[in-house]
Amino acid sequence: ELKAVKERFYQSTDRQPDLEFIHDGYLSDLSNEAFLHAICNRQHIILRSGTGSGKTYFSYQIAEAWHDTTQYPTIIAAPLNAIIEQQRSGNKNPNFGFCTAANLQSEIQNFRECGFVGLFVNYDNLKAAAAAALEMFGGYNLIVDESHQITTAFGYKPDVVRDVLNVAATANKTLFLSATPSLLGLDSFYFIDVKRSTPPPTPKIIYHTTGVLCALVETVCGIKPRSG
């Protein structure tokens, strides 16, 4: 049984994309016909695209396109409040709302009254947003940004992870976005891999040595001299 379980993991992580191609620009600039057809017509999709390719911005376009074809709003889930607030501060589209625990009830009320095309929400409040969308509109589409966080962020409470997966299971259309997606248990999803012709630049790491840092290092080394 253990051998079979191991093989199952390998099959999930080594899966070949259903569609792959090279694109060095932003996702919003893509004109690949097979890609656009899959986004519009596939019910469950995993999209792997590198950091800085504009996945979150692309969510706005997908939500509007899906609304035209399904008449359902799209809930766009992200792991952190900071991502929701960042999108709120830069938003210039009145068809989208931004929901965190601080404004959950008021933003859901706006969802009802304004008829948003899309609603950004953090993972913790996704269940409530999806229930409201189901009640108000009879259904919803779902985009999960940074979807690898569902399986790789060990700090998440198990009930939050279950909520995200349950909401995904009852969505009309689902898209998982990530630069490093987890493929485990998503065999039914259509897997799209957008690659770059050249790797993205490696971030430059700069260390700032201060008196405080030196004191901390000396203290740690003094307490556990063999800790490395």
Side-chain angles (χ1 to χ4, degrees):
E1 290 179 353
L2 180 58
K3 184 178 179 181
V5 170
K6 287 181 178 178
E7 184 59 30
R8 182 70 185 84
F9 273 96
Y10 282 125
Q11 288 173 357
S12 295
T13 55
D14 294 344
R15 177 182 166 191
Q16 293 299 308
D18 298 297
L19 173 66
E20 60 180 328
F21 56 92
I22 293 174
H23 178 70
D24 288 332
Y26 292 113
L27 292 172
S28 55
D29 300 330
L30 264 170
S31 57
N32 183 292
E33 290 187 10
F35 173 75
L36 296 175
H37 183 271
I39 291 293
C40 291
N41 294 283
R42 295 282 179 176
Q43 188 174 7
H44 305 295
I45 305 167
I46 306 169
L47 174 58
R48 177 164 66 191
S49 183
T51 302
S53 60
K55 291 185 290 295
T56 305
Y57 180 75
F58 189 49
S59 299
Y60 288 84
Q61 291 179 290
I62 297 172
E64 292 186 320
W66 282 358
H67 189 264
D68 290 341
T69 57
T70 68
Q71 304 305 306
Y72 288 139
T74 296
I75 301 172
I76 305 162
L80 302 174
N81 279 341
I83 297 176
I84 308 301
E85 295 297 345
Q86 180 187 48
Q87 291 302 311
R88 186 205 306 272
S89 64
N91 179 56
K92 297 179 176 60
N93 190 327
N95 293 322
F96 288 80
F98 303 88
C99 181
T100 62
N103 68 341
L104 177 63
Q105 296 306 319
S106 62
E107 201 65 0
I108 285 179
Q109 186 64 28
N110 289 337
F111 198 14
R112 182 189 304 273
E113 295 174 356
C114 302
F116 289 141
V117 166
L119 180 68
F120 280 82
V121 60
N122 61 325
Y123 286 177
D124 291 80
N125 295 295
L126 176 59
K127 181 179 179 180
L134 198 59
E135 176 200 345
M136 289 185 274
F137 307 105
Y140 58 88
N141 303 311
L142 175 68
I143 297 174
V144 180
D145 200 7
E146 305 291 346
S147 62
H148 60 276
Q149 296 280 6
I150 297 171
T151 53
T152 61
F154 298 107
Y156 277 114
K157 300 182 288 291
D159 55 329
V160 173
V161 174
R162 280 195 294 270
D163 287 346
V164 175
L165 296 177
N166 288 337
V167 169
T170 54
N172 175 65
K173 291 173 74 72
T174 307
L175 172 64
F176 282 13
L177 298 170
S178 176
T180 56
S182 170
L183 304 175
L184 188 62
L186 301 177
D187 294 0
S188 62
F189 280 59
Y190 189 79
F191 179 23
I192 303 174
D193 190 6
V194 181
K195 300 177 179 291
R196 294 174 57 96
S197 60
T198 57
T202 303
K204 184 178 181 181
I205 300 175
I206 302 173
Y207 293 95
H208 295 279
T209 303
T210 66
V212 173
L213 181 59
C214 289
L216 286 171
V217 172
E218 289 173 2
T219 302
V220 171
C221 291
I223 296 170
K224 289 191 175 279
R226 295 187 182 86
S227 66

